[in-house]
Amino acid sequence: EGFPATLIHPGHIVGPGWNPLNPAGHFNPEVFSVLARGETLILPNFGLETVHHVHADDIAALFMSAIANWNASVGESFHAVSEKAITLRGYAEAMAHWFGREPKLEFLPYDRWAERQSPEEANATWEHIARSPSCSMEKASRLLGFRPRYTSLQAVQEAVEWLIANGRVQARTV
């Protein structure tokens, strides 16, 4: 009682050294290699569920903003995410274009899609798409003057560049 606390709820944390939550809703970096090679990526349902990334640097900056604005932040709860969530489909399309490829996507109902995945990947995807997060940074902006530096795609692309440089994603240029 009376403890001066501030809660910060992060989205899908990403940055160099992190495996980003991918367009299939799990963490296997092979999904990015599939997109980089211009191969067909099969997504669950119609790919319209959302995911909401946040760069690790933006989380740190939000913590610092909360500390600097102690009177406004104590007793409050803030989301730590990029400005906008992205659908699995939009995410896959954007990443394919980033790799210089036209997106080749197919869709299956989740149950049929899950049969083609490892149980761990299917479960991770379900945990993400069942929630389909889309959070707001309005409160952090209004009370703390905080705006994230990275969009979801910028944060993911920085992480994927690191994965490519470290041999974890195989990216061929066009």
Side-chain angles (χ1 to χ4, degrees), residues 11-158:
H12 306 301
I13 303 169
V14 67
W18 294 72
N19 263 346
L21 179 68
N22 64 43
H26 54 72
F27 296 95
N28 186 339
E30 177 60 19
V31 167
F32 296 109
S33 296
V34 167
L35 292 167
R37 291 188 299 263
E39 297 171 0
T40 300
L41 178 64
I42 301 172
L43 295 177
N45 301 327
F46 294 109
L48 299 178
E49 294 85 358
T50 57
V51 291
H52 210 158
H53 294 85
V54 62
H55 195 288
D57 287 352
D58 281 335
I59 296 171
L62 180 55
F63 271 106
M64 296 308 292
S65 184
I67 291 167
N69 295 286
W70 194 83
N71 288 333
S73 67
V74 169
E76 298 293 341
S77 173
F78 300 95
H79 292 291
V81 290
S82 67
E83 288 288 343
K84 295 179 184 175
I86 190 166
T87 64
L88 298 179
R89 178 186 199 137
Y91 183 10
E93 291 170 345
M95 290 306 294
H97 287 127
W98 184 71
F99 284 117
R101 304 290 186 173
E102 281 302 311
K104 294 180 185 172
L105 304 176
E106 292 182 8
F107 305 92
L108 286 174
Y110 173 80
D111 291 339
R112 288 192 37 224
W113 175 87
E115 292 170 359
R116 299 172 176 223
Q117 312 301 310
S118 73
E120 296 79 21
E121 289 170 359
N123 186 54
T125 295
W126 179 254
E127 290 297 317
H128 290 105
I129 69 173
R131 291 178 179 82
S132 201
S134 180
C135 304
S136 172
M137 290 301 294
E138 187 280 329
K139 186 176 184 182
S141 175
R142 180 173 38 86
L143 294 181
L144 307 177
F146 179 82
R147 298 218 72 62
R149 220 176 76 198
Y150 292 85
T151 67
S152 286
L153 289 172
Q154 288 169 333
V156 167
Q157 289 163 353
E158 185 177 288

